[in-house]
Amino acid sequence: MVIDHCPYYNFLSILLKSLSRCGNVKTNMWLQGLILPVSCRTPDLHWQFLGTQTLKTRSDNPPHMATNHRAAHLSIPARLFSRFHSALQPARNLKIPISANLTPPSSVTFKNTLEKKPLQDLNVSNDYIKNLSRILQFRNERLRTGTIAPTTPNRSKKKITSTGVLAIAITSSDVWIGSKSRPTWSIQLSIAIPIYRHIMNRYRNCVDTAREVVASFSKAPLPKDVTSEFFDCPRRLDILIENLMTDKDIEGRIEAEWIQWHAEPNSLKSKEPTSDDPIIFYLHGGAYFMCSAEIHRSITWRLSKYSEGTRVLAINYKLAPEHPFPIPLHDAISAYLHLVDPPPESNLPKYDPKKIILCGDSAGGGLALALTLWLRDHPIYHNLMPGGLTCLAPWLDLTHSLPSWIINEFTDYVPTTAEDPRYIIKGYRSHYYTISDEFNSHPLVSPLFSNENTPATTYKEGVLQTSGPRKLPPTLIHVGEAERLRDESLLFVTQSVPNSQVRLEIWKDQPHVFQVFTFLGEGQSDKSLERIGKFIRYIIGGNDMETDEKQKSGVFMVNSDGTNSSIGADGALKMVSDGWSILNNFKK
């Protein structure tokens, strides 16, 4: 979820000051207990109560120890202070033994950890029919016996507003419990991550409410030097993916928007597009069931800016669970092919695929990779593969089979499960995107399970040609070192596509899609988008990744000061290995 202009500090300040004037001492004390841990993180700050009488002491003298006529009322905030202050301690204080020389458990072999299922070995159509009938039968039985309600669960009748959502999150007693701050996090980020996590978990049991919560935060405003233009295109009628689609699924048109940053104010009027224009084709995140291109404008306009005004086309693909796999993928394929192979009656330029960069965050990053894999594995479309890929924390493993999903739970905001009982059935279906868990290891659902083993085939002068391993185009992936989806990218780069030109940058201490936190003034967020913009211009220019040290493929750790160091495939595998060791020690 992207909230580009959410003023946490302004809102929190207004909320606390307004409530502090109500004269309710207990309310004041409880709310003050929420703000105390924030102040204590900076030694030079003093404790300050927001009531009519201000109490200031040294930061090393907690307020519940101060001598004051209000001290008798401080038992509640004192307990809150103890709980919240410990929750905000750096991850280095984890009570889990961590060793630099840990090795993976003997039962783990990275080459065989993932059960890779080649596309042609999946009997998808039979699985679909079998699982769909089983799921429907199981759900109908639950509806008949009254174990689940046929209506929307826990959906509030009141209108959801962004202020209300934030007020509930900030004043909830469990919002800070278990949260682990990282040493390089700012105070703003230390507050934002627990609030994000609380919002995500609070509304995970109802798809409709979760979408309303996202919609309650208005569309991110665009700067004056950025223009947007509506665009739509038809769905491809000649493509049905994996025999899982019906004619109804390919009806209608795909809505999208063009975003472009202009260096000169006089150039705000877009020029007529030509076939030589470079394009960023953007697929938004949101776990495949929420968000939109408009909500992700905070990312798309910056990508345009940092790539020197390259136009961005962000599409609104159909969302699950109403439209599960492979319908969103079909939308992405249709929109992309509309650019590189438009119908004659469209009067659109036929863009050069080598000047198109696919980009996406989270689920959108996984979808961008799935689109590339689909093009790669279909000889007719192989020559239409994009010039490059950029992924922001792509969701590559819907099986959640790797250790970072567990050990980074409290340094990230991604919820653990989806729980809407209208769609989720324990033991059968755990995601909105797939109708059955048996699809979660499909290479087009979880690209982590793809590979390069089958020789690539292309048509050349009407003859089918074989040309070695199936490689990806030049790719840049950014992930946070503290996020739950980290290990998926580590193994994807080192195990699934080892022969492709892929540069993976792991940003120290950063959470999932940390690029959305530009509104908090996070320097790393802006640096990451600027880095991606330079990569886009480099690849569009027809350059080779291996000729520039700053673009060279490999695995790199990016430190908080912006410097990076190569850790290689061995370092990436060691991070996953250490994660397994932490889990094993924790279980003991």
Side-chain angles (χ1 to χ4, degrees), residues 396-416:
L396 305 177
D397 177 22
L398 270 68
T399 66
H400 296 320
S401 57
L402 296 170
S404 64
W405 179 254
I406 299 174
I407 63 176
N408 286 343
E409 178 180 0
F410 293 109
T411 55
D412 205 357
Y413 57 86
V414 177
T416 300

Side-chain angles (χ1 to χ4, degrees), residues 366-392:
L367 196 58
L369 278 166
L371 166 57
T372 306
L373 293 172
W374 187 90
L375 294 169
R376 183 196 70 176
D377 296 338
H378 287 74
I380 297 177
Y381 302 104
H382 182 83
N383 292 330
L384 299 179
M385 287 179 66
L389 273 167
T390 57
C391 299
L392 289 64

Side-chain angles (χ1 to χ4, degrees), residues 256-332:
E257 69 172 5
W258 288 104
I259 296 291
Q260 186 174 17
W261 173 83
H262 302 268
E264 299 294 335
N266 297 332
S267 63
L268 289 181
K269 187 176 180 181
S270 299
K271 64 176 184 178
E272 286 296 321
T274 65
S275 57
D276 292 331
D277 290 345
I279 291 175
I280 300 172
F281 184 82
Y282 193 86
L283 296 165
H284 69 80
Y288 293 107
F289 78 92
M290 62 180 182
C291 294
S292 65
E294 293 79 10
I295 290 177
H296 282 71
R297 284 176 171 177
S298 64
I299 293 178
T300 54
W301 78 257
R302 286 182 172 88
L303 286 176
S304 178
K305 175 182 178 181
Y306 291 132
S307 59
E308 301 178 9
T310 302
R311 290 204 304 164
V312 179
L313 179 64
I315 73 168
N316 286 314
Y317 53 84
K318 286 183 177 179
L319 298 176
E322 297 87 351
H323 307 286
F325 171 80
I327 299 174
L329 176 58
H330 182 272
D331 281 4

Side-chain angles (χ1 to χ4, degrees), residues 23 91 94 118 133 164 191 198 205 219 223 267 273 283 291 310 325 347 382 419-420 426 461 497 524 552:
L94 277 170
S133 60
I191 296 174
H198 179 84
N205 65 343
K219 297 176 183 178
S267 63
L283 296 165
C291 294
T310 302
F325 171 80
N347 295 322
H382 182 83
E419 297 181 357
D420 192 326
K426 188 175 181 180
E461 298 179 356
V497 289
Q524 297 294 79
K552 192 174 182 179

Side-chain angles (χ1 to χ4, degrees), residues 96-298:
I96 301 176
I98 301 177
S99 172
N101 298 317
L102 293 178
T103 57
S106 57
S107 60
V108 175
T109 304
F110 285 105
K111 292 291 183 182
N112 300 319
T113 299
L114 307 176
E115 182 186 354
K116 302 182 188 296
K117 299 181 179 180
L119 201 60
Q120 60 271 22
D121 293 342
L122 290 171
N123 194 352
V124 178
S125 57
N126 292 337
D127 289 345
Y128 176 78
I129 297 172
K130 178 180 67 176
N131 287 299
L132 181 60
S133 60
R134 181 171 62 181
I135 290 172
L136 292 177
Q137 180 181 1
F138 186 71
R139 183 177 182 275
N140 289 338
E141 178 64 22
R142 295 181 70 187
L143 287 172
R144 186 183 65 79
T145 57
T147 54
I148 61 171
T151 56
T152 304
N154 298 333
R155 187 175 181 180
S156 174
K157 296 181 180 179
K158 297 181 180 180
K159 182 179 179 180
I160 295 177
T161 63
S162 57
T163 303
V165 170
L166 285 173
I168 292 172
I170 292 172
T171 57
S172 294
S173 59
D174 62 342
V175 65
W176 312 103
I177 296 177
S179 181
K180 298 292 181 182
S181 175
R182 287 299 183 100
T184 61
W185 283 7
S186 64
I187 296 177
Q188 299 96 308
L189 195 60
S190 298
I191 296 174
I193 294 300
I195 291 177
Y196 264 53
R197 181 170 56 250
H198 179 84
I199 292 174
M200 292 290 195
N201 282 288
R202 181 180 179 85
Y203 301 104
R204 67 185 178 186
N205 65 343
C206 179
V207 169
D208 307 274
T209 305
R211 289 172 178 168
E212 288 181 25
V213 168
V214 175
S216 68
F217 297 91
S218 59
K219 297 176 183 178
L222 291 172
K224 294 181 180 180
D225 52 1
V226 177
T227 57
S228 65
E229 180 182 350
F230 176 79
F231 176 80
D232 69 343
C233 65
R235 293 182 170 87
R236 295 286 294 231
L237 304 179
D238 58 334
I239 297 174
L240 293 176
I241 304 174
E242 300 299 325
N243 298 320
L244 296 178
M245 301 180 66
T246 64
D247 292 340
K248 188 176 181 180
D249 295 329
I250 58 178
E251 294 176 353
R253 300 179 69 85
I254 305 166
E255 295 185 352
E257 69 172 5
W258 288 104
I259 296 291
Q260 186 174 17
W261 173 83
H262 302 268
E264 299 294 335
N266 297 332
S267 63
L268 289 181
K269 187 176 180 181
S270 299
K271 64 176 184 178
E272 286 296 321
T274 65
S275 57
D276 292 331
D277 290 345
I279 291 175
I280 300 172
F281 184 82
Y282 193 86
L283 296 165
H284 69 80
Y288 293 107
F289 78 92
M290 62 180 182
C291 294
S292 65
E294 293 79 10
I295 290 177
H296 282 71
R297 284 176 171 177
S298 64

